[in-house]
Amino acid sequence: MTGTSETVRIVLLEDDAPLRERFAGILDAWGGGELVAACATLEQALTALDQHPVDLLMADLNLPDGHGIEAIRRLRQRHPDADAMVISVLADDETVLAAIEAGAVGYLLKDADSIELVEAIEELRAGRSPISSSIARILVRRMNKPADDATGPGLTPREMDILRGIAKGFTYTELAEWLGISRQTVPVHIKNIYRKLAANNRSEAVYEASKRGLLRL
């Protein structure tokens, strides 16, 4: 932890009320931290990050009004010296890597007990990265994967669907309706597409995808 405060100022983001209360209770009982805000939505967390000094964000990812990765990105903008730790049931490769690329330095699954949770915070304060064993296996597997060829990192089936919609000129709302997904998840997929294609906007993404043979225009 690079913050200067001895007491760790924490923003907790968890939409499940019983889990939020459980985590808040663990943090309240731990003498090393101060729970600045316990948030149920992405909007609440973004407001807390804008209004309070923060040393640690503990974030769920799957939220009713968006994705926890957006809170991690806001933390990086507002509090560049703070740490972000994910606590989630999501453990697929793309989600884990996206969270880490956004700035998360720890990743625990929600089965963590009170001792593990406090130990994870202490590890963060000591400059280490607490990661559940199953998450570590994902990272090791990805590190051992052969380097991408000239076509670059592959897109998931959902990302390919959205890419086709982008090529058709669909808006975020139209993409969500077309694919039957939440509108809030569309920007997350699009940012992943841009990252994988090294693109900065829709036109570049479509051009790069066409050049790589991913789209037939």
Side-chain angles (χ1 to χ4, degrees):
M1 180 79 61
T2 55
T4 58
S5 175
E6 182 177 349
T7 300
V8 184
R9 297 162 295 190
I10 303 170
V11 168
L12 171 65
L13 173 55
E14 170 57 63
D15 68 312
D16 183 88
L19 272 178
R20 186 172 63 254
E21 293 173 3
R22 174 179 164 237
F23 291 149
I26 293 171
L27 296 173
D28 286 337
W30 176 54
E34 173 193 352
L35 186 59
V36 173
C39 307
T41 66
L42 175 61
E43 181 180 3
Q44 291 174 1
L46 296 180
T47 299
L49 293 173
D50 287 344
Q51 294 181 349
H52 301 285
V54 178
D55 299 309
L56 173 63
L57 169 66
M58 301 174 61
D60 189 10
L61 296 179
N62 193 15
L63 303 166
D65 61 336
H67 202 287
I69 287 177
E70 294 303 317
I72 296 173
R73 293 194 178 107
R74 181 67 64 87
L75 180 76
R76 295 269 67 80
Q77 295 170 357
R78 297 290 188 177
H79 311 281
D81 291 333
D83 288 325
M85 180 166 65
V86 172
I87 303 181
S88 178
V89 297
L90 300 178
D92 61 281
D93 291 24
E94 293 299 327
T95 298
V96 172
L97 293 171
I100 291 174
E101 287 176 357
V105 293
Y107 202 118
L108 298 182
L109 297 180
K110 281 189 177 178
D111 56 5
D113 59 26
S114 59
I115 297 176
E116 185 178 356
L117 193 65
V118 171
E119 286 181 346
I121 298 174
E122 295 287 2
E123 285 190 42
L124 281 174
R125 298 184 72 190
R128 294 186 289 271
S129 297
I131 297 176
S132 294
S133 58
S134 58
I135 302 301
R137 283 194 293 271
I138 289 175
L139 299 178
V140 170
R141 184 169 66 247
R142 184 57 66 99
M143 288 176 63
N144 291 333
K145 185 178 180 181
D148 294 311
D149 59 23
T151 62
L155 301 182
T156 66
R158 176 62 75 203
E159 288 167 353
M160 282 301 305
D161 289 339
I162 289 180
L163 179 61
R164 295 185 187 98
I166 289 176
K168 295 177 183 292
F170 287 2
T171 65
Y172 285 9
T173 300
E174 289 170 339
L175 282 168
E177 293 176 351
W178 181 47
L179 298 174
I181 60 177
S182 168
R183 187 190 181 283
Q184 286 80 11
T185 65
V186 172
V188 177
H189 289 302
I190 289 179
K191 287 179 181 178
N192 286 335
I193 292 170
Y194 288 178
R195 172 178 54 83
K196 291 180 178 181
L197 296 179
N200 296 311
N201 53 51
R202 290 183 177 222
S203 297
E204 290 182 11
V206 172
Y207 171 80
E208 187 64 27
S210 176
K211 187 171 70 173
R212 298 184 186 186
L214 300 176
L215 286 177
R216 296 287 184 264
L217 300 179

